[in-house]
Amino acid sequence: MKNVILVMLFFVTTTLLAQRPQNDTPVTITGKIIEEGTNIPLEYATVVFLDKDNKIVTGGITDQSGSYSIEVAPGIYTVQFEFISYKTEQLTNQRLFQNTTLPTVTLALDAAGLDEVVIRAETTEVQVRLDKKIYNIGKDLTTSGATVSDALNNVPSVSVDVEGAISLRGNENVRILINGKPSAIAGFGSTDALRQLPAESIDRVEVITSPSARYDAEGTAGIINIILRKEKTLGLNGSLQTNLGWPLNSGITTNINLRTDHFNIFNTTGVRYSDAPGNAYFKNLYFSDTRDNPLLIEDREYDRLRKGFNTNLGIEYFLTDSSSLTAVGFFRTGDNETTTTNITNEFNRSNDLAVIRERVESENEEDKSYQFSLNYVNNFSQDGHKLTADLQFETDKETELSLIEEANTYPLMERLSSEDITTTRDQKEYLAQIDYVLPIGENAQFEAGYRGNFEETVTDYVLFEEVGTSGTFVRNDSLSNIFTYNENVNSVYSQYGNKFGKFSFLLGLRMENTQLKGKVSAEDVTNDSDDLNINFDKNYTGLFPTVNLIYELGERENFTLGYNRRINRPRHWYINPFPSRSSEANVFQGNPNLDPAYASAFDLGYLKRWNKLTLTSSIYYQYETDAFERIQEDTGELTANGIPILRTLPINLSTNQRYGFEAGVLYNPAKWLRLNGSFNFYKFVNEGEFNGVDYGSEDTSWFARGSVKVTLPGNVDWQTNAFYRGPSNNSQTESDGILSVDLALSKDIINDNATIGFNVSDLLNTRKRSSVTNSDTFRSESEFQWRQRQFNLSFTYRFNEKKKRESGRGNGSGGDGFEFEGGTKATP
């Protein structure tokens, strides 16, 4: 087979010392590989050094700029250049007795080979860079027909809870980016939009636990950057996937790409329709001596009908051989209907049933998002000297209509007053960014840039309350309000990287100026406490240094050390001072006194590769000041039915310290068996008080995931994923552990041009959050299940696109799918 050398490279580093002459000092050979016609750098292309007997002596791969830097013993070699789906090229009789830069090599597409070459990305791959890890999601069977949110839950270091909240190493203060920028696709800081996008739209996920100065300082836990698909292969190609599940979950997703020598057009379009039931249980015990019915038990049932459409259309036009302009438009719409039925049983002090109350909340939500972006790239030279510029505008409008009806059904049938709530949220965001990269010599690089983010969110909350049971509704002016929130961030950065032998570093400094403004318009506003600073205008300027170091013990072993300072800015719903109600007795109220939190983080990593086994591990520490914490307290107020009202409020605690250790293993003992797993253990210590109450806490927790994939007779693939998050607690709440198991089967048909799959999400139906909250005045027990066990059947058809052919990212790493970028440049 013409690409057999790719397989042989998997073993090359284990035989390198035996092949190399013992008394010769290695020389460094550098160069660059580009694509014919477009001059686009070919990342992960393979470079092989052959001796006079045509045997492999050593080899390596190119970095993201198409460059390579490989040490080899002095001698005469044939240097061979390969890339998946491209014609192989050679430089023969190369006399390499000193450090040498070879001529730039141009590779052309091999039209005949396209039908033969298939790279099977059977498991999630990981590549290590100076400041991040890149996970190519690959053929994860359990995410077939799933959403982006589901796919993220299978990425090491990342976990997604039952409500869709995303955390990194157990910390929810994580920044979500799309293609390196904040985006409406990610839901403007909320993760709800990620539940509507199909997992098939993802190309790869970058987990950035030690971000360089190039990235926003937002997110004390780090950054998750989701890269969407864009094919690099010439011609027309694409895929169509359909899925049908129970409880009802259906969707169609298409990926189409047309690339010529002058332009590249790409589109992903998806339609989803689902009916996702959920449930919750609450048990509240009040310690007040004046309350007749101190025990309340609530049972909730959620019936959610979700209808969504999204499309992402872009065109990349190659202005010259070295420059291009890309325009991308994104549109997403959602039409959701949710009915929440809440049955409350109240018991008196003798534990006798006193009252049964039924509360039904019918909610209709319409959501529309638009985004348009322009990207300009100019490669001044082939060694990475380039300029990029980005402009982006996006807008999101969300309207929620809620009707809450309530009635006592025991001991007497009695209808209670209703509530009619309308919430409209309009959000606009502008982004301007420019980045400049300047190589200095063979191993050094300087980079500088600017980014401006300008965001405005207007939340219009209107509450109408029924007068008795008359059917007449009156506006509640003490709660109805319009809250306008502005967040403007201007930032500049510079960074410098270099490599000296086995040691590489990347040093950077970012300066950000943040303006946070809030304004409330309401008919009836009173401010009798410090809890309600209605209008505010705050300005912060901070410096955020970053340090990333790496030392290579060998070609398969290295240490990394990272330091960065981060900021966590409160989102608009954390600052809005007017309460919103999930139930009559449970309210959430924003805190306009919130200040940004700042964190300093350290990360020490270790990587080791064997022939069939790869180990990654790291120890990390984070110290955060003014850390956010949500507390729950009794407001001292009662509902019209005499139930105490509990308030959830975010506050700034004084400090938060987090220690942790994580490890990941990828093991491929045989062609038919692939295993991978990860483990994360962390401890945090909170210190702080609010309203005279000490909310300090200390806890240790952990989570682990594992995946087993087996190829059965008949080329049927079987995969099982398991995830467990250990028990945890904060100052008030203790949460039980959560176990989730997913199962999937798939089979290729129609000459491998199509795949039929079946998967079960949450096989044991155990993905539930159970917790207990204690205070001096109440005790609350709860259990919440966002989505019940799901069965899904999917069908995928590909045209002119072999199964997971990675023409833009060749698997030069061999079977373990793991690569470290050293390269000639300290490129992040």
Side-chain angles (χ1 to χ4, degrees), residues 626-684:
D626 289 330
F628 301 162
E629 182 74 25
R630 289 188 296 182
I631 65 167
Q632 193 174 33
E633 60 182 7
D634 193 333
T635 63
E637 301 177 359
L638 302 177
T639 68
N641 303 309
I643 300 175
I645 298 176
L646 303 181
R647 177 179 72 166
T648 299
L649 184 76
I651 63 172
N652 286 114
L653 284 178
S654 56
T655 62
N656 174 294
Q657 296 186 72
R658 185 178 294 266
Y659 315 80
F661 165 79
E662 67 177 354
V665 174
L666 292 88
Y667 182 45
N668 297 333
K671 292 182 179 180
W672 56 271
L673 178 62
R674 293 159 294 278
L675 311 170
N676 68 69
S678 62
F679 175 80
N680 192 305
F681 173 85
Y682 58 90
K683 175 182 180 178
F684 67 82

Side-chain angles (χ1 to χ4, degrees), residues 693-764:
V693 179
D694 184 5
Y695 289 100
S697 63
E698 182 175 326
D699 183 37
T700 58
S701 188
W702 59 278
F703 62 88
R705 57 167 47 86
S707 177
V708 179
K709 190 169 182 183
V710 179
T711 300
L712 302 174
N715 289 324
V716 175
D717 287 329
W718 169 29
Q719 181 176 331
T720 301
N721 290 354
F723 175 82
Y724 180 77
R725 184 168 61 198
S728 63
N729 69 271
N730 58 24
S731 59
Q732 289 182 299
T733 303
E734 297 181 4
S735 300
D736 295 338
I738 299 177
L739 171 67
S740 178
V741 178
D742 300 331
L743 175 68
L745 295 167
S746 81
K747 167 68 176 173
D748 293 335
I749 57 177
I750 315 178
N751 297 323
D752 285 351
N753 287 317
T755 303
I756 187 169
F758 172 76
N759 65 66
V760 184
S761 175
D762 194 12
L763 178 66
L764 305 179

Side-chain angles (χ1 to χ4, degrees), residues 80 123 131 218 279 292 312 376 451 470 487 504 728 757 825:
Q80 185 162 291
T123 57
D131 60 347
E218 173 74 23
N279 59 84
D292 295 332
N312 186 48
Y376 171 74
R451 174 181 286 185
S470 63
E487 178 181 300
S504 301
S728 63
K825 305 293 180 185

Side-chain angles (χ1 to χ4, degrees), residues 254-411:
T254 61
N255 290 289
I256 299 177
N257 198 99
L258 174 62
R259 184 185 180 106
T260 72
D261 291 335
H262 301 290
F263 62 85
N264 185 23
I265 299 176
F266 48 94
N267 172 256
T268 299
T269 299
V271 179
R272 299 185 65 85
Y273 185 95
S274 66
D275 190 354
N279 59 84
Y281 169 85
F282 299 87
K283 181 179 180 181
N284 295 341
L285 178 62
Y286 301 94
F287 302 139
S288 172
D289 293 334
T290 61
R291 178 168 172 78
D292 295 332
N293 302 326
L295 176 63
L296 271 70
I297 297 178
E298 297 184 15
D299 285 292
R300 291 184 192 172
E301 296 290 337
Y302 301 94
D303 185 10
R304 309 183 190 89
L305 182 62
R306 298 286 186 261
K307 294 174 284 185
F309 170 82
N310 67 86
T311 185
N312 186 48
L313 175 63
I315 178 169
E316 179 180 13
Y317 183 74
F318 306 110
L319 302 172
T320 66
D321 290 342
S322 60
S323 64
S324 66
L325 181 66
T326 302
V328 179
F330 171 79
F331 172 70
R332 174 175 60 89
T333 181
D335 185 4
N336 305 323
E337 300 176 12
T338 302
T339 301
T340 303
T341 303
N342 193 86
I343 305 298
T344 302
N345 293 281
E346 296 187 27
F347 296 84
N348 59 30
R349 297 187 178 278
S350 300
N351 280 333
D352 295 326
L353 181 62
V355 176
I356 298 178
R357 182 175 298 109
E358 181 181 67
R359 177 185 174 93
V360 179
E361 179 177 357
S362 302
E363 178 184 296
N364 293 318
E365 177 184 327
E366 293 185 356
D367 188 7
K368 287 185 173 63
S369 296
Y370 303 87
Q371 177 180 296
F372 180 75
S373 62
L374 284 174
N375 168 259
Y376 171 74
V377 178
N378 191 347
N379 293 291
F380 297 107
S381 63
Q382 297 178 358
D383 60 358
H385 185 199
K386 68 176 180 179
L387 173 73
T388 61
D390 293 272
L391 292 174
Q392 181 172 288
F393 168 75
E394 49 200 61
T395 180
D396 181 75
K397 183 173 183 178
E398 179 182 286
T399 302
E400 296 179 5
L401 305 176
S402 299
L403 178 62
I404 302 174
E405 300 173 297
E406 197 168 12
N408 289 331
T409 60
Y410 177 86

Side-chain angles (χ1 to χ4, degrees), residues 523-707:
E523 294 292 334
D524 181 15
V525 176
T526 58
N527 188 10
D528 297 329
S529 78
D530 292 335
D531 291 344
L532 198 63
N533 289 331
I534 300 258
N535 301 320
F536 58 89
D537 189 346
K538 302 178 181 182
N539 196 289
Y540 309 86
T541 298
L543 293 176
F544 302 92
T546 62
V547 178
N548 288 284
L549 312 173
I550 191 163
Y551 182 75
E552 301 173 62
L553 298 176
E555 294 190 10
R556 292 183 169 223
E557 187 176 16
N558 65 70
F559 280 102
T560 58
L561 177 64
Y563 163 77
N564 62 94
R565 186 171 186 257
R566 310 288 295 165
I567 185 174
N568 185 27
R569 303 179 183 92
R571 305 301 297 173
H572 61 85
W573 58 84
Y574 259 36
I575 286 186
N576 190 343
F578 281 83
S580 60
R581 297 193 267 189
S582 59
S583 70
E584 189 179 17
N586 294 279
V587 301
F588 177 87
Q589 184 172 12
N591 179 8
N593 293 331
L594 272 183
D595 291 322
Y598 294 89
S600 293
F602 298 85
D603 188 294
L604 176 63
Y606 172 73
L607 176 152
K608 175 67 174 178
R609 289 186 293 157
W610 294 268
N611 285 344
K612 297 183 179 181
L613 178 68
T614 298
L615 168 68
T616 60
S617 61
S618 65
I619 300 172
Y620 55 90
Y621 170 75
Q622 178 180 291
Y623 182 82
E624 185 175 1
T625 58
D626 289 330
F628 301 162
E629 182 74 25
R630 289 188 296 182
I631 65 167
Q632 193 174 33
E633 60 182 7
D634 193 333
T635 63
E637 301 177 359
L638 302 177
T639 68
N641 303 309
I643 300 175
I645 298 176
L646 303 181
R647 177 179 72 166
T648 299
L649 184 76
I651 63 172
N652 286 114
L653 284 178
S654 56
T655 62
N656 174 294
Q657 296 186 72
R658 185 178 294 266
Y659 315 80
F661 165 79
E662 67 177 354
V665 174
L666 292 88
Y667 182 45
N668 297 333
K671 292 182 179 180
W672 56 271
L673 178 62
R674 293 159 294 278
L675 311 170
N676 68 69
S678 62
F679 175 80
N680 192 305
F681 173 85
Y682 58 90
K683 175 182 180 178
F684 67 82
V685 179
N686 289 333
E687 297 179 359
E689 65 175 35
F690 182 73
N691 286 344
V693 179
D694 184 5
Y695 289 100
S697 63
E698 182 175 326
D699 183 37
T700 58
S701 188
W702 59 278
F703 62 88
R705 57 167 47 86
S707 177

